[in-house]
């Protein structure tokens, strides 16, 4: 893909400050809001069942993260998703730790029927959601990569969502096309919430997409932008405390030239 | 006002470490606690309905923020406010996003009867609380400023609270007097929780006030100190990740000389 | 104790990345997760009553913190503790603000019957848990130190837990032995969550212990490592915002040589 096409989403987010409604986990609320502000979006953490249905239609997109799901939150998420769908607003599902834990796994499977625009998870989560049973912890071998890509394709075709499998390499597919991104840094896994906030960033980018046709490109753009920012931040600092600060700074300032010079992408043939 | 009179509240907070009981939103708990610690106060986030009534009388002030209000929290807030009032402790209301959302708007209006010492919000929130219906997003035009000031005055007179309308310029009124503060930085809106934590800082400052007569000055002092710290922090760093760090550092170290040299204030005539 | 024996726990944590299940307070979730990641552990904040019993046996240790306890969380904690015990996994109790608040004090006392491996608190909390009634705010006088040490010994003997009383000097006892650690920095009290995250770090270290016999050494190692890191971080930065960043960086990078060169410890005779 053209780097300029991807970066155009960054410009759109900065210019229009999309309102991103987040129902996320207790650990990452603050960092997620700061990441959204850094990329130029407007975070809104309206969480009560009494309010989500009123708020979701006002937002440009909804980001749902199951990291600390409990019963009250599951009801609020359900109401928010239904309201977003009713208003034609896209929503993103981050199925944290789905697979080993029954309560959230069952809920995530139910949510698939509510047509997320994008699903972003690691290999193990995506395999679980697609109906597979894998203990894959990453995409670190050819077999594991193939299993994750198969699962992502199945999930994308079954749900009509864009599916992103993130890890050392990130794969984004709409079931017909796959792109692989190879930016980032291991430090991104040493700061809590980087992955969760990435899902909210995807929501921001999908929230400025002109139509459903752009969701795949918007998702690639969000992940490419974030991982390039992470890679450059890791050049600023090799330790996690200062890396987290540098990551926010890079997200707020990464320009088109540095983005293009750093981006590593390739097309992947689907089986 | 004399800069030294304002700064005397900073000294009092540092010397006495007032205990500030916070019932705030899920996004900003950590940052609010760190801001309170930086200015020299002692944060206490006792949130359960089972405990708030026991704790509020022990604290020097209570800070209430409606950012992620839900039904259980509304009950805990009500119990905390009643206990603070019963013990003669001042409390501060931050009516986040009041206006467009019915549940929190209704609750905020009910809370006005419980006599907050201070109400701090943006123009749109203050206008909503005063009974107006405005979509003002800031104080960026003469008409918008006049509308916000009118609303603040009405709200102050109706509730006997000090009312602070914060934005590019901050206005603080007790219904008879208004002061305008022109410090700060746009970066303060790029870090989540700066405004919410400011309300908690106001609570800390009001918590060391000798009497109700000092609440207006204490509120001006809290906002002046915080926005001067923010303006100086923005000189340290132009990007949001490192700005947030610099802001905490400045809050912990800003001295009387730098405060006085940076402070920009003026009296405003009420209509 | 030999510095190398203590540091061997650091190496074990880094090599095996123990999964630490945290049920902690709303203020410190993010910082706690980042501290655990910095020391090399894997944080997992599974909080719902529906999931904790399924998750606790999978983790290497459980960390329980009562800072923002409410009724639903007390039920989740109870279920998690029972599941951890059933699976033979150690758990750590951080009895935040126990003593003045009845709800959490009653709950903490009930939890003592569930055999925590370690209890970490300040002097006032440990005295309250041991059945004493003291308003000690620290260990800043000989009498206060004696009262806290007596309480810690009683509590350790009654519960068979390792008990750590942290403050300017940290005391760790199993009821028969006491070690005193004199590292750290006052800045550690100016950043919210440093103490709470320390309890989670203790859980990580206890989680890699070979047997119950090692719990005392593991606890000493966790507190020694964290306070040495804090002391060195305070040399990097004298202000709380940048100190918090430096603390995470030091936790992620402190080597055996710097640890040994900085550690200050002594044995204490029990009465």
């Amino acid at each position: 893909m053209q780097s300029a096409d991807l970066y155009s989403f960054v410009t759109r987010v900065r210019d229009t400050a999309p309102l991103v409604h987040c129902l996320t986990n207790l650990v990452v609320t603050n960092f997620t809001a700061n990441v959204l502000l850094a990329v130029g979006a407007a975070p809104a953490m309206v969480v009560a069942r009494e309010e989500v249905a009123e708020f979701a239609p006002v937002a440009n997109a909804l980001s749902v993260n199951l990291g600390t799901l409990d019963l009250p939150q599951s009801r609020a998420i359900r109401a928010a998703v239904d309201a977003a769908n009713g208003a034609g607003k896209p929503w993103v599902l981050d199925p944290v730790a789905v697979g080993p834990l029954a309560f959230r796994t069952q809920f995530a499977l139910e949510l698939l029927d509510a047509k997320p625009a994008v699903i972003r998870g690691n290999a193990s989560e995506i395999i679980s959601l697609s109906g597979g049973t894998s203990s894959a912890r990453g995409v670190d071998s050819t077999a594991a990569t193939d299993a994750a890509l198969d699962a992502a394709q199945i999930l994308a075709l079954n749900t009509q969502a864009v599916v992103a499998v993130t890890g050392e390499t990130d794969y984004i597919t709409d079931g017909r096309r796959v792109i692989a991104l190879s930016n980032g840094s291991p430090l991104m896994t040493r700061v809590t919430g980087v992955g969760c906030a990435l899902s909210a960033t995807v929501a921001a980018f999908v929230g400025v997409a002109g139509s459903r046709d752009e969701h795949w490109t918007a998702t690639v753009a969000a992940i490419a932008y974030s991982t390039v920012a992470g890679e450059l931040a890791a050049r600023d600092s090799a330790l996690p405390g200062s890396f987290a600060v540098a990551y926010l700074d890079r997200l707020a300032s990464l320009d088109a030239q540095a983005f293009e010079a750093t981006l590593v992408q390739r097309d992947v043939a689907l089986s």
Side-chain angles (χ1 to χ4, degrees), chain A:
Chain A
M1 295 177 92
Q2 295 295 316
S3 159
D5 290 342
L6 296 177
Y7 197 85
S8 74
F9 281 91
V10 179
T11 306
R12 272 195 255 177
V13 168
R14 288 185 186 161
D15 288 349
T16 64
L19 189 58
V20 181
H21 184 191
C22 300
L23 282 160
T24 188
N25 73 69
L26 295 172
V27 185
V28 304
T29 47
N30 186 270
F31 188 72
T32 300
N34 278 332
V35 162
L36 286 172
L37 287 167
V39 300
M45 310 256 170
V46 174
V47 303
R49 200 184 175 190
E50 290 82 6
E51 295 193 331
V52 291
E54 195 177 6
F55 189 73
V58 179
N60 295 87
L62 170 67
S63 181
V64 168
N65 175 301
L66 307 183
T68 55
L69 189 72
D70 60 12
L71 192 60
Q73 196 192 33
S74 71
R75 291 172 176 150
I77 287 172
R78 189 76 227 189
V81 163
D82 290 345
N85 281 340
K89 302 301 174 72
W91 70 280
V92 173
L93 175 63
D94 187 336
V96 178
V98 158
L101 294 166
F103 175 68
R104 67 181 68 193
T105 303
Q106 179 59 36
F107 184 64
L109 291 172
E110 289 169 23
L111 283 180
L112 292 185
D113 293 333
K115 299 281 177 211
V118 185
I119 304 167
R120 190 210 65 83
N122 63 28
S124 160
E125 293 156 356
I126 296 302
I127 289 169
S128 292
L129 271 189
S130 74
T133 53
S134 161
S135 59
R137 286 299 189 90
V139 186
D140 49 5
S141 72
T142 304
T145 300
D146 286 351
L149 273 179
D150 283 352
Q153 187 181 9
I154 291 168
L155 188 58
L157 292 173
N158 284 350
T159 62
Q160 296 172 290
V162 172
V163 176
V165 188
T166 56
E168 195 175 317
T169 302
D170 306 305
Y171 298 91
I172 302 103
T173 183
D174 62 358
R176 296 170 294 120
R177 302 166 286 184
V178 190
I179 201 162
L181 301 171
S182 302
N183 292 105
S185 158
L187 276 169
M188 296 178 82
T189 65
R190 298 291 301 278
V191 175
T192 198
V194 168
C196 298
L198 177 53
S199 295
T201 301
V202 168
F205 279 53
V206 168
V208 298
S211 73
R212 195 164 184 92
D213 291 343
E214 283 195 318
H215 286 179
W216 184 63
T217 313
T219 303
V220 174
I223 297 173
Y225 184 76
S226 301
T227 52
V228 167
E231 185 166 323
L232 295 175
R235 296 183 196 167
D236 299 332
S237 171
L239 292 170
S242 43
F243 171 78
V245 173
Y247 181 54
L248 290 171
D249 285 353
R250 287 284 186 170
L251 286 173
S253 62
L254 175 57
D255 64 24
Q257 287 68 34
F259 175 68
E260 178 166 6
T262 313
L263 181 66
V264 179
Q265 57 166 324
R266 64 185 164 85
D267 292 321
V268 179
L270 271 178
S271 54

